[in-house]
Amino acid sequence: MATIGQRNRLQFIILGLLNQQPQTGYDLAKAFENEIGEFWQAQHSQIYPMLKRLEAAGEITHEDTVTGEKLAKKQYTLTPTGREKLVAWVSQPSPELTPNKDEFILKLYFIKDVDDPRIQPMLREQYRLHQAQLAHLQQRQATVFPDTSTIDQAYGHYLILDHAIAREAHYVSWLTQYLTPED
Amino acid sequence: MATIGQRNRLQFIILGLLNQQPQTGYDLAKAFENEIGEFWQAQHSQIYPMLKRLEAAGEITHEDTVTGEKLAKKQYTLTPTGREKLVAWVSQPSPELTPNKDEFILKLYFIKDVDDPRIQPMLREQYRLHQAQLAHLQQRQATVFPDTSTIDQAYGHYLILDHAIAREAHYVSWLTQYLTPED
DNA sequence: TTAAAACATGTAATTAATTACATGTTTGCA
DNA sequence: TGCAAACATGTAATTAATTACATGTTTTAA
């Protein structure tokens, strides 16, 4: 009865991010707001304690630095142990479909009636949201990958953006199918 | 500083399910394994306590019934208060995009290298998973909605299945784009 | 020059969610 | 008839995640 129910993906994601480059807890928190945020989320209140746990386990180490006069930063780096653990996680199959949640779809589900007057406004609201998100992601892609030659330098980043864009575009097109022209 | 941070969508989903028809905690748990499960998940250990909370709040009531000799069941029903609360939730905008998590995409992200030999097997595994899920959902759709005339009777159910199918089909097609023929 | 935004790091309290523990009944099928 | 699967309901323990509390520095732009 040990070592079985290993969830806790956050630790691996942090290892993965630190493998790209040494960085601070603050930097990690920002990463969860940007690209990574499309596929995983974590607040700084979850990140800082996890960094301590990982360091205690010998998977990362930190170096104290100071910006300006006295602003203290902790730059975290992967140890060989940490890198091993990361590689093991990445290489191991992901046989479960990560559960998806979508409050909006559930609301539609509960309304049931095709002609309920609430449906169209709700669809339009979602349309706006996802459309905006799509535009934002496309903007990002255009900035980060101005031409195809830049893709290989950050292929993982490209993949994640590509997937997020595809997902949003598809969501928008699904919504469109049920939208009636607004007059 | 009260009544603000109202998350806890589970309660509303339970109200929504009970609004469709009175049912037991066990029935609700099953609902989270089927269609609803594509967009929200909850175990019975979360459901039973929530039912007590909702009943204490006067939003649902239950009736004890017995199956066979002595198998006790609790059939839960919405009260007018509960129905009001449900309607308020459904009618209110859902202005946040429910966060999505996807362990697989993150693994791809961390691999980075286009030519890493692990990528293709991982893509194929995900392909298998999502393809299987897609087939399962399509099977379900064919069973539940044998012809278009049956759609209106359970439009919410239809929507949820349609969205889940579209999502899986799209995921599969995204994967295909990166798959190279296996020899 | 000063105020706001961003940088930077933590802990505490609460809530949500999962996993494990715990028990018993009924149905279906071999 | 006997056994497994499905039905049925709970609690306890643990872990994950969010929200709130708490504090201080540096940069940027008005």
Side-chain angles (χ1 to χ4, degrees), chain B residues 24-27 30 44-45 48 52 71-74 101:
Chain B
T24 66
Y26 187 86
D27 295 330
K30 271 197 306 178
H44 77 272
S45 59
Y48 289 116
K52 297 209 161 169
L71 183 61
K73 287 191 197 189
K74 295 183 179 177
K101 298 192 170 186

Side-chain angles (χ1 to χ4, degrees), chain A residues 16 23 29 36-37 39-40 42 45-46 58 61 67 74 87 99-100 104 107 142 154 172 174 176:
Chain A
Q23 47 193 317
I36 289 286
F39 300 103
W40 208 270
S45 58
Q46 218 187 335
T61 46
T67 300
K74 293 183 180 176
V87 169
N100 269 281
F104 169 69
K107 286 187 179 178
V172 165
W174 184 85
T176 307

